Amino acid sequence: MSATPLLQVKDLSVSYGKIEALTKANLSVNQGQIVTVIGPNGAGKTTLLSAIMGLLPSQGEVTFDGTIEKVPEVERMVSRSLSLVPEKRELFSDMSVSDNLVLGAFQRYRNGQRDYKDTLEEIYSLFPRLKERQHQLAGTLSGGERQMLAVGRALMGKPKLLMLDEPSLGLAPLIVREIFRIITELKKRGVSILLIEQNARAALQVADYAYVLETGQVVMEGVAHELSDSPQIIETYLGLGGKHQAILTT
Amino acid sequence: MDAQIALLLSQDGITNGAIYALLALALVMVFAVTRIIFIPQGEFVSYGALTMAMFQTGLVPSTIWLLVILGIVVVLLDSLALIKTKQNQKLFKLLGINLAYPLVLAGLLYLLPVKDMGMLLQTLFTLAILVPMGPMLYRLAFQPVASASVLTLLIISVAVHVMMVGLGLIFFGAEGLRTEAFSDARFEWGMLSVNGQTLWVIASFFSLITALYLFFERTIYGKALRATALNRVGARLMGIPPALSGKLTFFLAALIGALSGILIAPITTIYYDTGFIIGLKGFVAAIIGGLVSYPLAAGGAILVGLIEAFSSFWASEYKEIIVFTLIIPVLLWRSLRSHSMEDEE
């Protein structure tokens, strides 16, 4: 790993009342990398992303792009080019697709960068489907299109790091394949990604580096393709009959 | 009742209805974006009317000092954090808006001949004093508890209302005031006789509605407010801070309130506490729209205005009762129709 990671998380802990959902998690993402965090339901994956983003109060240290944040705060993290696509998408369902996308550039617009129309064209070239539906209300889109819109909206902010929370959740296999194709495409364009997935096999295939989170703790980490050969991972997350997942990413 | 009286009453009803509609829209907007039921909306109406009236009697309205004091308190609260974190640009902005602007405005008002500067300038100065109070009030009363429950926000809202009525009594005295009409023109079309002020109200109503529509549909800040109303978490993730949307919404609400006051002041005598009743009628209309629908709220407001006008003819001592009783069937109908509001995602 190189000297200065884009994102470095040190001893991050989050608790809901007395229950500790995340215990002293350490993690880092380098420039241009895809890093994935896999783990079962309730392992604290979403909590981890929310805490990094500043949506949840946390203890520990988050260093992003060279500056330490003791307690991350959402607006500041956004203005420092960190984007989160949450599990629930959080789209503006009664607004048009194009309005949703334009709002993705709100923070940049507020800071005086008025080039959102150019960015919009770039996003449309990445997701031609969204261009076809630009006047439709976001709430009328299909599940896959919504996910594309959520990712597109996050990209409108030109993030240095994009955090994706379960982008394939609840989507049909063909759409999942499309989503992973986009993730690979984004990597080619130089976007760094922190990816959280239950679809471990697919995630390990696109990622460079991986962490395994169980009951709030990082229990294993390593280069992604090495982890996918580890017997323990195969047994717990991939299974022998899980070949259909691999097919999805080709 | 003959047709001529009916026409006259309708004209009255529609004029007042247009004012209620503006207030109802402001209430719906504030509630949608911040979840605050903005009781002091009516106080901006009486402040607007009475500030204008003070200009016309040749006095510098005392409301300017409220603006100065609110500004100083905001600066005291916010500057420390900005100095600590060395955010100089934001500090200058804070000082400029909350300290320099009120003082310069106060100085100007004492230098200018306020009585003879014409209605347009008087209107602009009234707005210049009152509208910035909206964001300041949000900062002081609501921003620290922005994520509290609707009930807590409502209680604070009532407190702000009581405070503003009290201050109104100090500023303007217990006497009611009425301002000059914007125009004394009368237009006769057969039986129908329309006075100039009515046309001013209607024209202002439509231009304000159009301006608001364009703001919410075409500008990125307007879209950001709509987004905040639709999905708070989503909006925060786009870097739209709740404090910004709150202040912007209160700016608009104060603008609508003060302008409504200026428009209604030549039609009826305004006392320091009249705003509350006017705001409450706007609130009835907003409830007809379920606090969410703008067109229903506007329609409801016209209905409130018409019912009020006709009941003042048939049963004038009961006119307020009739208007406020209207809310009961509306609430009944709403509660029967919507069972699962809480579970809505």
Side-chain angles (χ1 to χ4, degrees), chain A residues 53-55 73-75 78 82-84 86 88-96 99-100 102-107 109-110 114 116 153-154, chain B residues 87 90 93 216-244 248 345:
Chain A
M53 196 68 203
L55 284 172
E73 197 221 338
V74 184
E75 286 81 36
V78 175
L82 180 66
S83 277
L84 168 67
K88 288 183 183 162
R89 326 307 197 224
E90 309 286 6
L91 295 173
F92 308 121
S93 48
D94 274 351
M95 294 172 79
S96 70
D99 280 354
N100 267 274
V102 164
L103 281 168
F106 179 81
Q107 182 65 50
Y109 183 89
R110 204 177 161 216
R114 303 284 149 103
Y116 67 89
R153 189 179 65 168
Chain B
Q87 291 175 287
K90 278 191 178 172
K93 207 176 145 197
F216 280 111
E217 288 293 320
R218 299 285 154 81
T219 71
I220 197 162
Y221 278 92
K223 286 174 188 173
L225 283 190
R226 276 167 60 210
T228 309
L230 284 172
N231 186 331
R232 239 162 276 276
V233 178
R236 290 192 72 195
L237 287 175
M238 300 302 104
I240 305 167
L244 175 78
L248 196 52
E345 256 293 83

Side-chain angles (χ1 to χ4, degrees), chain B residues 317-326:
Chain B
E317 63 266 49
Y318 292 116
K319 87 172 187 188
E320 310 286 19
I321 298 175
I322 293 171
V323 169
F324 291 123
T325 310
L326 191 65

Side-chain angles (χ1 to χ4, degrees), chain B:
Chain B
M1 175 190 281
D2 58 22
Q4 191 163 12
I5 294 174
L7 275 175
L8 204 68
L9 290 175
S10 313
Q11 190 188 323
D12 255 19
I14 288 171
T15 315
N16 287 334
I19 303 272
Y20 302 151
L22 287 176
L23 297 175
L25 295 185
L27 286 166
V28 172
M29 176 186 71
V30 170
F31 183 74
V33 177
T34 64
R35 299 175 305 124
I36 296 167
I37 295 171
F38 193 45
I39 314 281
Q41 182 70 55
E43 271 58 66
F44 279 96
V45 177
S46 43
Y47 276 38
L50 294 170
T51 300
M52 186 79 178
M54 281 183 90
F55 273 133
Q56 293 187 352
T57 50
L59 296 167
V60 173
S62 349
T63 32
I64 181 70
W65 296 113
L66 179 61
L67 182 72
V68 172
I69 292 168
L70 285 176
I72 291 173
V73 181
V74 171
V75 168
L76 286 178
L77 284 175
D78 281 352
S79 56
L80 208 63
L82 291 178
I83 293 170
K84 257 188 209 159
T85 50
K86 297 203 177 71
Q87 291 175 287
N88 287 333
Q89 212 181 341
K90 278 191 178 172
L91 185 66
F92 283 131
K93 207 176 145 197
L94 177 80
L95 290 174
I97 294 175
N98 296 296
L99 203 62
Y101 170 77
L103 288 174
V104 169
L105 190 63
L108 261 181
L109 290 179
Y110 277 95
L111 290 174
L112 287 172
V114 287
K115 190 175 164 62
D116 307 313
M117 64 187 171
M119 289 201 79
L120 181 66
L121 273 180
Q122 285 172 341
T123 305
L124 289 178
F125 273 111
T126 303
L127 295 177
I129 296 172
L130 296 175
V131 177
M133 282 184 195
M136 288 176 185
L137 264 183
Y138 180 80
R139 168 63 192 90
L140 296 177
F142 297 102
Q143 190 175 314
V145 288
S147 49
S149 68
V150 173
L151 182 63
T152 310
L153 293 172
L154 173 64
I155 293 168
I156 296 172
S157 195
V158 172
V160 173
H161 152 71
V162 172
M163 188 200 77
M164 282 184 79
V165 173
L167 288 174
L169 181 58
I170 298 173
F171 292 149
F172 311 110
E175 294 297 310
L177 293 168
R178 195 185 266 238
T179 59
E180 296 158 27
F182 281 63
S183 119
D184 298 322
R186 289 199 75 83
F187 303 93
E188 308 273 344
W189 288 294
M191 263 199 309
L192 183 67
S193 150
V194 182
N195 60 36
Q197 187 62 28
T198 302
L199 293 180
W200 266 101
V201 172
I202 307 281
S204 310
F205 171 76
F206 280 109
S207 29
L208 204 55
I209 296 279
T210 315
L212 283 175
Y213 175 81
L214 291 176
F215 172 73
F216 280 111
E217 288 293 320
R218 299 285 154 81
T219 71
I220 197 162
Y221 278 92
K223 286 174 188 173
L225 283 190
R226 276 167 60 210
T228 309
L230 284 172
N231 186 331
R232 239 162 276 276
V233 178
R236 290 192 72 195
L237 287 175
M238 300 302 104
I240 305 167
L244 175 78
S245 350
K247 284 181 188 162
L248 196 52
T249 314
F250 270 57
F251 179 91
L252 292 172
L255 173 69
I256 293 172
L259 200 62
S260 308
I262 295 171
L263 286 171
I264 206 171
I267 299 173
T268 161
T269 308
I270 302 285
Y271 296 83
Y272 71 98
D273 59 353
T274 314
F276 179 58
I277 297 291
I278 299 175
L280 217 50
K281 284 171 192 161
F283 185 69
V284 172
I287 291 291
I288 293 176
L291 275 178
V292 287
S293 161
Y294 292 96
L296 270 181
I302 302 291
L303 185 70
V304 168
L306 285 173
I307 289 178
E308 185 190 31
F310 280 90
S311 54
S312 68
F313 178 77
W314 278 308
S316 69
E317 63 266 49
Y318 292 116
K319 87 172 187 188
E320 310 286 19
I321 298 175
I322 293 171
V323 169
F324 291 123
T325 310
L326 191 65
I327 207 168
I328 295 174
V330 171
L331 285 178
L332 271 177
W333 171 68
R334 287 221 153 260
S335 69
L336 289 178
R337 247 195 30 170
S338 55
H339 335 265
S340 55
M341 286 291 276
E342 290 99 90
D343 295 343
E344 223 169 43
E345 256 293 83

